[in-house]
Amino acid sequence: MSAPSSELSGARPRRGVLIGALIGIVLSVAGLATNASPVSAHTSFAGSTPANGSTVAGPVSEILIEFTNPSTEAGDGFVVLDPTGQIREPSTVTTDDGRVFRLGFEPALSGGEVGVRWSVRAGDAHPIEGSFAFTVGGTTMAAADDMSSTVAEETAVAGSDDMSSMSAAEMSSMDEFLAVDQSTSGESLARLGRLISFAAIVLGIGALAFAATTLRGSLEEIGSLIAAVRVLGGVLVVGAIAEYVGVARIGDESLGAAWTSSAGAATALRAVAGVAIAVGLAATTVPIRTRTRARSLSAAAPSSTEELEVETRNRPSAASVTDRPVARRWVPDRSSRLAFVGIGLAIVSFWFDGHTVTKGFRALHALANSIHVIAGSVWVGGVVTMAIVMWWRHRRSIPTDSLGLVVRFSAAASVALGAVVVAGLVMAVAILDSFGELTSTQWGQTFLLKSAAAGLAMLAGAYNHFRLMPALERDPDDEVLHRSVRSTVTAEAILLGFVIVVTSWLVAAAS
């Protein structure tokens, strides 16, 4: 076999030092992932006593607020709007496990509607806020007025700057008090950065898998594809930085400290991975040639075709065989090892994302997540790359080789699809507490939407494989068939692009 060429890659000095440093990062991160306790990125309000909208006999000296996972006070913490219009803070706030908070009030709440507003920080430093109200009955307004006077006297001693010393003009109505702004500083930026990062990872890994297993083309074509993956490495860096800044804002942390959180560690790993991919990927190729056996006079197509790597020691073949160099293929060799380490870091970063650190047995979930990312990237990124290659060749009036592309890609895609389905089911079982949550929760509904889009993409691929490919084998020069294949692959790519968008949202969505 001829030695791989790297005409487009150039020399990369001191690559070994960079690889050693990245391997050290991987080992450190793996240790951190092993030792980290599974904290929740999806804490939500579970209920209260008194319950929202209920009416209880007064007075009420204690309110219980329960969350689905451990959390800590954040922002204003816990405040109430009492029946007299005064905003009060609890006299005491206690919790044993971070899930149930006991709010003590002295004097007790009585005489009408009580509004409660809460603000806590989840285990991943993500702040969440909410409110509820209940009514306290069985107390006369005179008693309520006495309570109001008592509160006013106590707050006057504490100082006029306290929230409970607000004048009547400053008192909020109940509706205004219960209105909670659910938007979080940095949430939009983190979501946008996550989408950019996920798209870059999926398309980058998929394009490389496609180049290694499927693409047979010119040096220009392969070089352009590898250059595009390098650009995707840069895009990954941009997306990771945007997400990192968003995560820091969400957690109200400095940029220097945000990496210590689970979400911050994930985005930091992706940024490093993007740099490694952009710097370390080499366009090494080897030439190939097709060996086509002579046709019979009545044959409509070659009787057999196979791809052979060019051997410099090859002698001319027999008269019945015609050898003609037609293309090159990309070889993922040691010259790209820095980029491979970067891909590994990108995959490892998903060990720190969303449900991987909150649901099920973490090691199993991390393994399933990694398989899902790799297999999904091979399928999704491969289909998108195939669509781009087909259109690139069509625009340049180059034979698209639709039949060869689809047939070669089918082998890798079949394995990837099976892995995607199995890993996806394992993750869904770990994330959802019951089958009913598929329809009763927003995460479950979005998961069904993603599955539907992926299913439609599978149908498009099956139509290509079982309908168009046999027809193209019978008539390989039919331009109408080639156009149909391009259209079907393009539709499949668009559907899978939608899957990428939905997946990036699901990672951080509450379940």
Side-chain angles (χ1 to χ4, degrees):
M1 181 186 301
S2 60
S5 62
S6 54
E7 297 92 333
L8 302 178
S9 58
R12 289 175 174 78
R14 303 184 65 81
R15 184 179 287 153
V17 175
L18 290 174
I19 292 174
L22 289 178
I23 291 175
I25 293 174
V26 171
L27 294 176
S28 299
V29 167
L32 179 60
T34 302
N35 296 325
S37 58
V39 295
S40 174
H42 307 90
T43 299
S44 60
F45 176 70
S48 64
T49 305
N52 182 37
S54 64
T55 298
V56 297
V60 173
S61 60
E62 183 179 75
I63 299 175
L64 302 183
I65 301 179
E66 182 179 357
F67 299 97
T68 56
N69 290 289
S71 57
T72 57
E73 282 190 79
D76 292 335
F78 304 96
V79 292
V80 301
L81 180 65
D82 70 16
T84 68
Q86 293 285 341
I87 295 179
R88 296 176 54 185
E89 294 181 351
S91 305
T92 60
V93 178
T94 60
T95 180
D96 295 328
D97 55 6
R99 295 174 182 265
V100 179
F101 289 82
R102 297 177 179 272
L103 316 182
F105 292 89
E106 182 60 41
L109 302 167
S110 60
E113 188 176 23
V114 176
V116 182
R117 196 168 60 201
W118 51 265
S119 176
V120 297
R121 194 182 306 279
D124 68 337
H126 194 120
I128 57 174
E129 298 179 347
S131 62
F132 62 93
F134 60 90
T135 301
V136 182
T139 304
T140 64
M141 289 305 299
D145 292 339
D146 292 340
M147 182 194 71
S148 177
S149 300
T150 303
V151 172
E153 292 172 0
E154 291 178 352
T155 53
V157 175
S160 59
D161 291 337
D162 191 88
M163 290 181 63
S164 58
S165 64
M166 295 175 64
S167 65
E170 295 172 317
M171 293 179 186
S172 302
S173 70
M174 183 61 68
D175 289 341
E176 293 172 339
F177 178 81
L178 295 176
V180 175
D181 184 8
Q182 297 292 342
S183 62
T184 303
S185 175
E187 188 67 53
S188 297
L189 182 60
R191 187 179 295 114
L192 175 62
R194 189 180 307 117
L195 173 59
I196 294 173
S197 298
F198 281 21
I201 291 172
V202 170
L203 297 179
I205 294 176
L208 290 181
F210 184 85
T213 63
T214 305
L215 184 61
R216 305 292 184 262
S218 65
L219 186 62
E220 176 193 5
E221 188 176 54
I222 296 174
S224 297
L225 179 58
I226 299 304
V229 177
R230 291 180 190 148
V231 172
L232 286 173
V235 172
L236 174 57
V237 174
V238 173
I241 291 175
E243 186 179 4
Y244 184 86
V245 174
V247 167
R249 291 180 179 175
I250 290 172
D252 195 22
E253 297 175 323
S254 66
L255 293 178
W259 71 272
T260 59
S261 69
S262 179
T267 56
L269 284 174
R270 288 175 194 142
V272 176
V275 172
I277 294 171
V279 172
L281 191 61
T284 51
T285 64
V286 295
I288 60 173
R289 67 175 58 186
T290 59
R291 170 173 290 182
T292 305
R293 299 190 182 279
R295 302 183 184 187
S296 65
L297 293 177
S298 61
S303 58
S304 64
T305 302
E306 61 179 348
E307 291 183 352
L308 299 176
E309 294 178 5
V310 174
E311 298 282 355
T312 56
R313 62 180 180 274
N314 276 357
R315 296 182 179 275
S317 55
S320 62
V321 177
T322 302
D323 290 338
R324 182 171 59 91
V326 294
R328 303 179 74 89
R329 68 182 182 88
W330 179 65
V331 179
D333 65 2
R334 293 179 60 188
S335 59
S336 296
R337 59 188 180 275
L338 179 61
F340 300 150
V341 173
I343 292 173
L345 285 176
I347 295 169
V348 167
S349 72
F350 289 91
W351 298 357
F352 297 85
D353 260 341
H355 300 90
T356 305
V357 296
T358 64
K359 295 288 188 176
F361 180 51
R362 184 168 183 180
L364 177 61
H365 199 153
L367 176 62
N369 204 344
S370 296
I371 294 174
H372 197 70
V373 170
I374 296 171
S377 297
V378 170
W379 176 39
V380 176
V383 170
V384 172
T385 305
M386 182 161 58
I388 293 173
V389 168
M390 285 182 175
W391 283 104
W392 187 88
R393 290 177 175 179
H394 175 69
R395 298 288 186 185
R396 288 161 176 76
S397 299
I398 300 172
T400 57
D401 186 28
S402 300
L403 179 60
L405 289 176
V406 173
V407 169
R408 288 192 296 271
F409 180 68
S410 293
S414 298
V415 175
L417 275 174
V420 164
V421 172
V422 173
L425 288 175
V426 171
M427 293 169 61
V429 169
I431 292 170
L432 298 175
D433 296 326
S434 66
F435 184 79
E437 289 187 352
L438 277 174
T439 56
S440 63
T441 65
Q442 189 177 23
W443 190 95
Q445 294 166 359
T446 308
F447 175 79
L448 290 177
L449 178 63
K450 169 190 170 181
S451 300
L456 290 175
M458 290 180 190
L459 290 177
Y463 178 77
N464 248 344
H465 186 79
F466 295 106
R467 285 293 300 271
L468 297 182
M469 290 303 101
L472 203 55
E473 285 179 350
R474 292 189 297 268
D475 189 358
D477 297 324
D478 189 334
E479 181 54 36
V480 174
L481 287 175
H482 283 282
R483 184 166 60 248
S484 297
V485 172
R486 285 196 305 272
S487 299
T488 306
V489 172
T490 301
E492 188 179 357
I494 292 173
L495 285 168
L496 293 177
F498 176 75
V499 170
I500 293 177
V501 174
V502 175
T503 302
S504 70
W505 185 89
L506 276 177
V507 167
S511 58

